[in-house]
Amino acid sequence: MNTPIPAEDERLFAYPQDRSCPWQPSPGYRGLGEQGPLHRVRLWDGKSIWMVTGHAQARRLLADPRMSADRSRDDFPAVLPRLDAPIFKPIAIIGFDPPVHDIHRRLLAPDFSLKQVRALRASVEELAGRLVDELLRKGPPAELVEDYALPIPSMVISELLGVPYDDHAFFEAMTNGLLQAKSAQDAEAAGQALWDYLDGLITTKEREPGGAGVLSRLVGQVDEDGDLTREDLVRIALALLIGGHDTTSQMIALGVVTLMEHPDQLAALRADPGVLPAAVDELLRMVSVTDVSGVRVATEDIEIDGHVIRAGEGVLVSSSMTNRDPAVFSDPYRFDIRRAGGHNAASGRHHLTFGFGIHQCLGQNLARMELEVAFSVLFDRIPDLRLAVPLDRLPTRGGGTMQGVHTLPVEW
Ligand code: HEM
C-alpha cells in the first residue's frame, strides 16, 4: 500500500508521463527537475511517493540502509498497476534486502564478471554479424527490433542461463505480456506462465545434472534449509531471464534511433572506434531506458535537503532526470559521445542508468558489451542506415516507466 494522499495533494504531478522524444525525458519531468531535487508525485492509485531528480540526493538515498527494496512489504509502492501482481512480491535479488540479497548476489556474481563477459564477446560479435548478414540478404526495409535488437540479448541470456533459445518466441511474448500489462491480473497470468516454464526447465536440469549454464550450476547448490531454496532458484531464473533481455533490446533500439538522428555524432563514432565505450555510456545516460534507477520504501524517518521522508513513504529515483542534473552534467540535454565521466561510479559523475548502491545492475558489464557490439557491427556493416518512418510516427511504448519501441522500421 502506498501512503494515503491528503486531499490538498490531489493536484500533485502525476507519475509516470510519456516521452515525446525517444532519448529525452517527458517534458513534464524536465519542469519538475528545474524546481529542485525532491518532489511529491501522485501514482495511478492516487497515492503519493517521493520522486528524486537530484543526482547527489539519489546517490545518498540509494546507498542508505534505511531504504528498503523489499517488494513484499505492505508499504512498498506499486508504481504501476502491473507491479501490484503477486508475482512481483518479491522479485529475486532486486526485491530483497540484506542478508538474503547479498547471499543471492554473491552466488551469481562470478557469471557476470568482466572476465566472464570478455570471454563472451567474440561469440556476440559473430552473432551480430550473422544477424546483419540476414538483414542484408532480405534487403530493405527491415524491422530492427525483431531481427536485431531483440535476438542479440535474448540469445545471449538464453545461452548464459541454459534456457533453450528454441523457446524464445514463448519467453519473449510472456516477458512482453508481463512488462506491458495494464493490470495486475494480466501481469500475473504472463508471470505465472513464465514461472511454470522455468520450474519445468529446472526439473529437467535436476534430472540431468551437469549441463551448461548458470541454472545447471545453481541446481547443484539448492538446499531447502540453506542459502538457496528451489523456489529461490525459480525466482532468480525469472529475474535474470526478464532482466537479461528486455532492457538491453530496447536500449539497442533506442540507441540506434539516437545515433541515426545525430549524424555528426555517428560520424565521430565511426571515425574513432576508440570512443565506443564512452559513446555507449552517453547513450545509456541520454536514453535512460528504464527511466528509474530504483524504487524503495523508507524504514525510518530520513532527513534530506530540508525534507523529511517519513518511515513508510515510497521513493522513486528517476534516472532520466538524475542523469540530467546540471550540477553534474553540463548542457545535460545535449547528446555528446565525447562527454567524459560515464563509466567511473566512484567519480560521482556517473550516470545512474544502472542504479547505485548494493542493487546496482548485476548485468551491467554484459549489457555494455552487448551494446558496444550491437552498435559497432550494425553501423560498420550498414553505414547508411536510416529510419523508414518519420521520428514522430515511431510506434513507441507509452504508459509505463520502461521506454521503448514496439518496432523499428529502417532502410538503407
Ligand atoms: C541496458 C540494460 C540494462 C539496464 C538499463 C538495467 C538497469 C538496472 C537498474 C536501474 C537496476 C537497479 C534497480 C534497483 O536498484 O532497484 C538493475 C538491477 C539489476 N539488473 Fe539490470 N539493467 C540492464 C541489463 C541487465 C542485464 C543484461 C541483466 C542480466 C541478467 C540484468 C540483471 C539485473 C539484476 C539481477 C539486477 C538486481 C541487482 C541487485 O539487486 O543486486 N540487468 N538493472
Side-chain angles (χ1 to χ4, degrees):
M1 272 188 305
N2 302 324
T3 315
I5 181 168
E8 67 268 26
D9 285 356
E10 262 162 25
R11 281 177 301 146
L12 283 178
F13 185 87
Y15 181 91
Q17 294 189 4
D18 288 347
R19 291 184 179 191
S20 46
C21 169
W23 59 88
Q24 298 288 12
S26 139
Y29 297 0
R30 182 170 183 162
L32 208 60
E34 283 163 3
Q35 292 166 32
L38 282 140
H39 320 270
R40 301 287 293 175
V41 296
R42 179 168 45 87
L43 298 178
W44 60 281
D45 55 2
K47 310 284 172 58
S48 69
I49 60 168
W50 293 91
M51 176 174 173
V52 184
T53 55
H55 192 272
Q57 294 76 8
R59 284 164 54 108
R60 270 188 2 240
L61 288 168
L62 289 174
D64 192 321
R66 295 169 296 176
M67 301 292 288
S68 170
D70 182 354
R71 263 81 175 155
S72 65
R73 289 175 60 115
D74 277 350
D75 52 7
F76 197 89
V79 171
L80 296 168
R82 66 178 169 82
L83 295 170
D84 231 2
I87 199 98
F88 284 116
K89 300 175 182 184
I91 190 153
I93 320 167
I94 205 167
F96 281 86
D97 292 331
V100 174
H101 165 269
D102 302 2
I103 292 166
H104 289 169
R105 183 152 176 143
R106 259 199 305 275
L107 279 176
L108 292 164
D111 298 294
F112 293 91
S113 68
L114 211 50
K115 185 169 166 233
Q116 202 59 27
V117 165
R118 283 193 182 127
L120 284 176
R121 188 172 185 122
S123 64
V124 179
E125 281 168 348
E126 196 192 301
L127 165 62
R130 271 192 279 121
L131 292 168
V132 172
D133 288 344
E134 189 57 16
L135 287 175
L136 292 171
R137 195 188 60 73
K138 284 200 227 158
E143 206 299 273
L144 216 67
V145 172
E146 193 177 322
D147 289 339
Y148 192 73
L150 183 56
I152 294 177
S154 190
M155 276 191 211
V156 170
I157 196 69
S158 306
E159 177 102 6
L160 207 109
L161 293 181
V163 169
Y165 185 68
D166 284 352
D167 298 334
H168 76 103
F170 167 76
F171 67 72
E172 286 162 5
M174 291 306 117
T175 300
N176 200 44
L178 185 64
L179 298 183
Q180 295 299 304
K182 297 277 177 269
S183 69
Q185 288 82 349
D186 290 353
E188 190 64 14
Q192 190 60 49
L194 269 179
W195 179 284
D196 293 343
Y197 167 74
L198 290 167
D199 189 32
L201 189 67
I202 288 168
T203 303
T204 312
K205 290 181 188 293
E206 284 164 342
R207 285 202 205 106
E208 301 158 14
V214 177
L215 299 184
S216 286
R217 180 173 71 75
L218 291 183
V219 155
Q221 296 187 36
V222 167
D223 172 0
E224 289 309 324
D225 303 317
D227 288 343
L228 183 72
T229 66
R230 195 178 182 289
E231 186 181 326
D232 291 336
L233 181 55
V234 182
R235 271 192 199 288
I236 287 173
L238 191 66
L240 293 180
L241 186 60
I242 297 171
H245 77 276
D246 193 72
T247 41
T248 312
S249 70
Q250 290 300 331
M251 186 58 224
I252 294 173
L254 294 186
V256 167
V257 175
T258 308
L259 285 167
M260 289 189 302
E261 293 296 308
H262 293 84
D264 58 324
Q265 299 287 313
L266 179 56
L269 174 59
R270 296 192 66 238
D272 177 8
V275 86
L276 181 61
V280 164
D281 267 298
E282 175 66 351
L283 283 165
L284 285 161
R285 181 188 79 85
M286 286 299 285
V287 170
S288 308
V289 70
T290 60
D291 232 351
V292 172
S293 298
V295 180
R296 304 286 187 268
V297 60
T299 58
E300 295 173 28
D301 289 0
I302 299 175
E303 274 189 56
I304 180 159
D305 276 35
H307 299 279
V308 180
I309 299 175
R310 299 271 170 218
E313 288 184 340
V315 175
L316 173 144
V317 174
S318 160
S319 52
S320 53
M321 290 312 302
T322 53
N323 287 349
R324 285 170 177 77
D325 184 334
V328 177
F329 303 99
S330 60
D331 199 358
Y333 289 82
R334 187 166 57 89
F335 175 52
D336 177 4
I337 61 168
R338 295 188 183 276
R339 188 185 289 276
H343 211 140
N344 180 6
S347 78
R349 304 191 64 79
H350 188 267
H351 64 70
L352 298 181
T353 300
F354 288 125
F356 187 73
I358 62 166
H359 290 282
Q360 198 180 53
C361 182
L362 177 72
Q364 63 179 293
N365 296 325
L366 181 64
R368 279 198 172 91
M369 181 272 280
E370 292 180 281
L371 294 171
E372 285 183 19
V373 171
F375 300 136
S376 63
V377 171
L378 184 67
F379 288 111
D380 275 356
R381 300 276 310 277
I382 319 183
D384 301 331
L385 196 74
R386 56 184 181 269
L387 277 177
V389 295
L391 184 62
D392 60 4
R393 297 250 305 278
L394 270 183
T396 45
R397 291 173 169 188
T401 52
M402 177 66 197
Q403 302 303 313
V405 281
H406 295 292
T407 59
L408 182 53
V410 290
E411 57 193 14
W412 53 90

